[in-house]
Amino acid sequence: MPNLTLSLARGAVTSPFKRAGRPGAALPADRLHLPAAPVAPGPLAAYRTICGFPATGPLPVTYPHVLAFPLAMRLMTRRDFPLPVTGLVHTWIEITAHRTLHPEDRLELTVYAQELTPHRRGTEVTVVTEAHIGGELVWESRSGYLSRHATAGDRPAPQPPAPGLPAVAEWRLPADLGRRYGAASGDRNPIHLHPLTARLFGFPRAIAHGMWTVARCLAEAPEPALLRTVRADFRAPVLLPGTVTYATDGTAFQLRGGGDGERVHLTGTAGTG
């Protein structure tokens, strides 16, 4: 497994030498792989607990992304990756599970960069993650990561306001949530760990991991083990500690918060088909 801490350190060193939005920038053409391996029970149990998934049963639909994230970070911190990883923002994720996955499955993981896209706030890269078992594609995701920089010309319009959904629950998030999720997932990005390290990147306090917010919402589904498709858009960071409202109509979901309780942090949809 690639060392995520080393990747973050490498990204901090190489980022100042990269310029997002450079004309003619190209993505690495190769794909990074991890051979088939069993899921470690300790980290999986910790992940289930921090995200609210059942303690036993199939793998949470988000977990292959967690397993492959160190590989994605190794890709995005390479010298030939055109965007600086420092300041890169996870903007959206789409997940398709082609079958139910179980802890005993030996997943072969592949990560590659698919395309660079102009964004109204900079340049967005799409990173693809695939999981195979015996050569069969069993799970895949696509994620958007935004590198902010000055832009010129026409860019896609900002997202329209999210329609309101019925509030279901209010969650009080502790200050150490980022450290606890980081310990379970391996993602110890400093913006999630402590107010001091978060301020170095422009945040007043530590912020919750975006993938925790998605997983926590999906764990509230009546039968999370049956989920097959997920789309989530990250709209605003969740400051820690804080209070958020989980809202859903059974298919679409939101995480809202802020002083008036109406700032939308996350929108998404999930389905079993």
Side-chain angles (χ1 to χ4, degrees), residues 49-239:
T49 298
I50 193 66
C51 296
F53 287 108
T56 59
L59 282 184
V61 70
T62 49
Y63 201 62
H65 177 90
V66 173
L67 294 174
F69 186 67
L71 199 63
M73 283 298 300
R74 191 171 78 179
L75 171 70
M76 292 189 286
T77 57
R78 285 174 27 163
R79 289 187 177 183
D80 59 348
F81 191 80
L83 303 179
V85 72
T86 301
L88 208 61
V89 178
H90 196 182
T91 49
W92 56 269
I93 186 169
E94 294 177 345
I95 296 173
T96 302
H98 298 289
R99 73 183 215 192
T100 301
L101 300 180
H102 300 276
E104 60 270 21
D105 290 333
R106 298 173 63 89
L107 301 179
E108 308 164 33
L109 300 172
T110 300
V111 172
Y112 59 95
Q114 187 175 62
E115 62 180 337
L116 290 171
T117 307
H119 187 279
R120 64 188 179 87
R121 292 183 176 176
T123 300
E124 191 172 74
V125 61
T126 300
V127 176
V128 179
T129 300
E130 297 176 349
H132 293 78
I133 298 177
E136 176 192 357
L137 178 65
V138 295
W139 183 99
E140 58 188 312
S141 74
R142 299 171 70 248
S143 286
Y145 295 92
L146 172 64
S147 181
R148 296 177 181 176
H149 59 82
T151 61
D154 294 333
R155 292 291 186 268
Q159 298 182 50
L165 296 175
V168 173
E170 184 177 87
W171 300 332
R172 295 188 177 184
L173 311 183
D176 67 347
L177 176 62
R179 295 190 289 276
R180 292 167 55 200
Y181 180 83
S185 68
D187 183 357
R188 293 182 173 87
N189 188 317
I191 63 175
H192 304 300
L193 304 182
H194 192 276
L196 181 60
T197 53
R199 289 190 198 106
L200 296 175
F201 296 90
F203 298 100
R205 304 196 301 274
I207 65 173
H209 293 72
M211 285 305 299
W212 177 86
T213 65
V214 175
R216 184 66 187 88
C217 290
L218 296 179
E220 290 296 305
E223 295 185 88
L226 300 182
L227 295 177
R228 292 292 180 270
T229 60
V230 177
R231 165 76 192 208
D233 292 273
F234 306 105
R235 292 188 171 225
V238 176
L239 297 176

